Amino acid sequence: MKGTTHLTIGVAIGSAAAAHYPFTLVNAATYIAVAAFSALSADLDGPSLLSSKASKISKWLHGLLLGSGWLLTAVTAYLYLSDHYINIPLGIACAALLLLGLVVRSGTIRNALVSAVGAALIYGGITMGMTWLIGFGIFVVWVPWLKHRGLTHTIWAVVAWGAIAWGLEQQLQLEGVMQIAVAGYLSHLIADTLTPSGVKWLYPLVKKPFKLPFL
Ligand SMILES: [Zn+2]
């Protein structure tokens, strides 16, 4: 299912919450942000709306890696042909850049970038003594490396997400944050269940995807 669809559902849930709970602008914005983010974060396990910036940067980095590798190789070849001179460190740098560029898919660089953001969140959580932020950081570090629609699309992930959101609710002292986060996350899994490939809600206990038979 498309990220924009999940985002729309999340914003709808957040808006409903904003209407339901005592209204202030800050509260409404918080509810909508929490719901929208929760509705999107299950797809951090693949190219998604949330990691599209990272995707762009990683494509660019990948191109830079390969481009500079080929450029240095050309320089090395030129030096050898013109002066019969081989610069060893330069040669090693060429080989390293080319190998990295050829082996690492830009998806891997994207995942590493997302993980780096997660590591920064963990660091922030530790320095500010926020346990929920550490938990959220671990989620962001870990999830990009999971198989798409794997562990993030399970009931266990909903529980973990709820625990993180509970910590956020305690810190903000704002009623409903956890419920809204869980509703947002669940909305993602339900929406994906409506797609042809379905969702493995109980993975790895039950490896079969749940989907609606008439779709
Ligand atoms: Zn999904």
Side-chain angles (χ1 to χ4, degrees):
M1 186 146 291
K2 271 168 63 181
T4 43
T5 313
H6 291 303
L7 181 64
T8 310
I9 299 171
V11 169
I13 291 173
S15 308
H20 174 75
Y21 290 102
F23 186 86
T24 71
L25 261 183
V26 175
N27 289 1
T30 308
Y31 289 141
I32 292 173
V34 166
F37 197 81
S38 300
L40 283 175
S41 45
D43 275 351
L44 274 174
D45 62 1
S48 71
L49 212 56
L50 284 180
S51 61
S52 68
K53 270 263 160 12
S55 291
K56 276 195 199 109
I57 298 173
S58 75
K59 278 216 185 76
W60 182 79
L61 275 177
H62 191 226
L64 190 73
L65 214 61
L66 270 178
S68 52
W70 288 121
L71 187 71
L72 276 185
T73 308
V75 171
T76 313
Y78 173 78
L79 285 178
Y80 178 71
L81 290 174
S82 61
D83 302 338
H84 287 279
Y85 165 73
I86 293 184
N87 184 317
I88 302 283
L90 193 65
I92 293 174
C94 287
L97 281 171
L98 276 180
L99 273 178
L100 264 178
L102 294 172
V103 167
V104 172
R105 292 171 305 120
S106 69
T108 309
I109 304 175
R110 180 201 66 229
N111 292 351
L113 287 170
V114 175
S115 285
V117 172
L121 293 173
I122 295 176
Y123 179 76
I126 293 171
T127 49
M128 292 184 285
M130 298 180 190
T131 317
W132 70 270
L133 191 57
I134 299 173
F136 180 46
I138 293 172
F139 181 93
V140 176
V141 166
W142 190 25
V143 154
W145 307 97
L146 293 173
K147 221 175 78 208
H148 186 51
R149 285 201 185 177
L151 264 183
T152 52
H153 290 58
T154 61
I155 198 75
W156 332 121
V158 177
V159 174
W161 192 254
I164 293 168
W166 180 81
L168 176 62
E169 176 167 333
Q170 300 307 304
Q171 183 180 342
L172 296 177
Q173 292 291 312
L174 181 59
E175 198 196 342
V177 166
M178 186 185 92
Q179 275 165 289
I180 291 156
V182 169
Y185 204 101
L186 272 177
S187 78
H188 183 115
L189 302 194
I190 292 168
D192 275 358
T193 304
L194 301 178
T195 63
S197 41
V199 163
K200 297 174 190 147
W201 284 80
L202 298 174
Y203 182 85
L205 286 189
V206 179
K207 295 208 168 80
K208 258 184 62 171
F210 291 75
K211 49 187 155 187
L212 295 184
F214 51 83
L215 284 172

